[in-house]
Amino acid sequence: MALWTPHSWQHFPAQQQPVYGDAAELEASLARLRRLPPLVVPEEIRRLRGLLAEAALGRRFLLQGGDCAEAFKDCTSEAIEGKLRVLLQMSVALTHGGRKPVVRVGRIAGQFAKPRSKPTERVGDQELPSYRGDLINGLEPSAATRRADPARLQEAYFHASATLNHLRALSAGGFADLHHPERWELPGGTGEVPAYRRTLDQVRESLDFLEALGGVQRDALERIDFFTSHEALLLPYEEALTRWVAEDSTYYNLGAHTLWVGERTRQLDGAHIEYLRGIRNPIGVKVGPSATPEHLVALLDCLDPGREPGRVTLISRFGATRIQAALPPLLAAVQRTDHPVLWSCDPMHGNGTESASGYKTRDFGAILAELRQAFELHRAHGSHLGGVHIELTGEAVTECTGGTEGLSEADLARAYETGCDPRLNGTQSLEMAFLIAEMMRG
Ligand code: PEP
Ligand code: CO
């Protein structure tokens, strides 16, 4: 294989890239980005790799979740706190019910670029470039807003850094301290999840007991580990955040702790895989209906030649009606190799439907059905499911149907806010976490 550099991807075909009108303007923006400080540090990435390696061995469980696409306008304290809160609540449910420590990774602080099925869309009588995420263009359907704007690369960096700063301040400031019940409440306006209240009471009782014995250090409970991730889609941006780390004599992407490659951009001879093979971060790979066993094994050989635990997380996303046929041949192919992968399940992207009124939606029951089958298929084939990857928000949105609130298609219009795919709301997410915890125990 040819020598890797942070820009060697430029010699390979790159899917899903916007066309920038002015090369000089793009280069000026990238030059600025290359000089800005990194968002995360290698030490944190090494730590995450270690935790994911343990998850691959079945000792931990990965919870990865957040928006389909973050929007600059939603970079607010409420939205950030809401997402952190729901992920923490879910991790309490998973740790308590599933009996495993949880590795928390947000789709946050950089999830600003989206792959699209078509490069343009028809709005009224205009053919406009599709919205590709705030990193690239704006959602408003006008020719000016849909232009790929290089200034957005810097805006994305600064929004990611503001988000991360707030996440870090919250976690250093004891946001996750279980001794503060008010911080653990579900957001107003959402339904009750009775199992959550009981779990929280039990967790607090256990803590009181351990503290009485002098067995837990209070600051260990107040600090939280929380990592960031996004899809490595817009390669010039990712390249600009790729930095040489002399200590390890290698390159890291210091724009997020972990990155994943999407279903549409994981061609073996494509630019995205070329870029990802050279960075030291843990890498996620979405695995959907187009993946063959041969392709998957070749991808693993390329991304993880050293067979290092924690390096690759395979994220299956087939849909509830396809997973049964599609997953087992891939599990078998991976088992025939000695790649120590972590398997996760994204039960969202294979279960999209359109409501009669034209909303993109997903049903709680279908999401649950895919997860249930994923756990069972892994068990039946001598493998294990070590994580989940979910699109969610802390807000009381109405984007997915089902759950105990009983949201129906008629409810979707009430609070449908996503600029991209439909997300589970706070209550649905927490309910899902309790159901996943049951499945973890088998
Ligand atoms: C996503 O995670 O938002 C996404 C687009 O997923 P996939 O590449 O699996 O379709
Ligand atoms: Co999505």
Side-chain angles (χ1 to χ4, degrees):
M1 221 177 276
L3 189 70
W4 185 91
T5 68
H7 54 263
S8 55
W9 63 267
Q10 294 178 12
H11 302 293
F12 296 78
Q15 304 295 317
Q16 298 283 342
Q17 304 301 289
V19 178
Y20 287 100
D22 183 338
E25 199 188 350
L26 175 63
E27 179 44 36
S29 194
L30 292 169
R32 172 94 204 279
L33 271 184
R34 285 193 288 267
R35 298 185 56 242
L36 287 163
L39 297 174
V40 303
V41 295
E43 180 53 34
E44 296 169 322
I45 298 175
R46 286 184 213 114
R47 179 162 159 70
L48 175 60
R49 257 183 102 119
L51 296 173
L52 294 174
E54 289 180 25
L57 292 169
R59 298 193 193 126
R60 292 181 183 270
F61 193 78
L62 168 66
L63 170 63
Q64 187 169 12
D67 293 315
C68 181
E70 289 178 275
F72 295 166
K73 73 171 174 38
D74 294 332
C75 183
T76 63
S77 60
E78 297 76 32
I80 297 165
E81 286 169 27
K83 272 176 270 188
L84 181 60
R85 183 182 292 112
V86 74
L87 286 166
L88 292 175
Q89 289 172 337
M90 290 172 81
S91 65
V92 167
L94 291 170
T95 305
H96 185 260
R99 301 279 185 262
K100 271 183 198 168
V102 171
V103 188
R104 289 168 288 241
V105 179
R107 287 174 63 114
I108 198 168
Q111 176 50 21
F112 293 123
K114 297 310 300 173
R116 301 315 307 243
S117 45
K118 297 195 203 78
T120 59
E121 67 171 340
R122 186 136 206 106
V123 184
D125 55 2
Q126 288 192 91
E127 191 71 18
L128 293 173
S130 298
Y131 171 59
R132 290 181 178 274
D134 281 8
L135 175 56
I136 291 138
N137 57 7
L139 181 58
E140 186 201 293
S142 74
T145 316
R146 289 289 174 88
R147 179 184 85 98
D149 180 358
R152 286 180 170 271
L153 275 65
Q154 289 178 43
E155 271 196 79
Y157 169 92
F158 288 116
H159 281 93
S161 82
T163 303
L164 196 50
N165 179 61
H166 194 47
L167 290 169
R168 291 191 191 282
L170 288 169
S171 75
F175 181 78
D177 186 348
L178 281 161
H179 301 87
H180 288 274
E182 72 285 359
R183 296 183 188 150
W184 289 87
E185 290 305 317
L186 283 169
T190 58
E192 262 292 285
V193 182
Y196 178 59
R197 196 143 307 287
R198 284 197 300 278
T199 300
L200 216 48
D201 289 344
Q202 285 173 14
V203 169
R204 290 209 184 96
E205 264 173 41
S206 313
L207 284 180
D208 288 347
F209 177 65
L210 287 172
E211 279 174 11
L213 292 177
V216 257
Q217 303 233 299
R218 200 163 165 124
D219 65 331
L221 295 170
E222 291 165 7
R223 258 187 298 113
I224 45 158
D225 267 336
F226 187 81
F227 300 94
T228 62
S229 69
H230 62 259
E231 177 173 350
L233 188 65
L234 184 67
L235 292 170
Y237 179 81
E238 302 305 338
E239 179 192 325
L241 290 167
T242 304
R243 309 290 165 88
W244 174 254
V245 175
E247 225 180 310
D248 301 20
S249 299
T250 189
Y251 285 94
Y252 282 81
N253 181 312
L254 297 181
H257 297 111
T258 175
L259 300 160
W260 76 87
V261 61
E263 173 72 358
R264 297 169 186 77
T265 50
R266 56 168 164 68
Q267 298 77 21
L268 203 49
D269 53 359
H272 292 82
I273 293 297
E274 170 60 17
Y275 170 72
L276 290 168
R277 82 178 169 94
I279 56 169
R280 180 87 185 126
N281 307 59
I283 303 299
V285 179
K286 291 290 198 87
V287 182
S290 69
T292 62
E294 300 70 38
H295 175 75
L296 190 56
V297 170
L299 272 180
L300 289 174
D301 290 344
C302 173
L303 292 172
D304 179 34
R307 274 88 175 140
E308 290 180 70
R311 164 70 173 167
V312 176
T313 300
L314 295 177
I315 308 159
S316 68
R317 34 86 81 222
F318 293 108
T321 58
R322 295 168 96 159
I323 185 171
Q324 186 95 33
L327 185 61
L330 299 178
L331 293 182
V334 173
Q335 280 169 334
R336 284 193 296 271
T337 72
D338 46 1
H339 287 287
V341 304
L342 166 62
W343 277 102
S344 175
C345 175
D346 163 359
M348 311 301 289
H349 287 91
N351 289 310
T353 55
E354 192 171 316
S355 74
S357 44
Y359 284 102
K360 261 168 97 174
T361 187
R362 292 159 169 162
D363 187 59
F364 191 91
I367 295 167
L368 186 61
E370 179 162 2
L371 283 170
R372 221 181 263 299
Q373 292 175 79
F375 274 99
E376 285 165 7
L377 290 167
H378 276 278
R379 276 195 189 108
H381 291 84
S383 173
H384 77 272
L385 185 67
V388 290
H389 183 119
I390 293 178
E391 287 184 345
L392 54 78
T393 174
E395 326 279 291
V397 299
T398 55
E399 298 170 4
C400 293
T401 55
T404 49
E405 290 172 283
L407 292 183
S408 69
E409 287 198 358
D411 294 308
L412 295 178
R414 203 168 69 230
Y416 194 96
E417 283 161 26
T418 182
C420 202
D421 290 337
R423 304 158 294 178
L424 293 179
N425 65 27
T427 308
Q428 289 169 327
S429 301
L430 192 52
E431 270 180 66
M432 191 61 78
F434 278 100
L435 295 164
I436 294 169
E438 271 173 31
M439 297 178 216
M440 283 168 69
R441 280 188 298 176

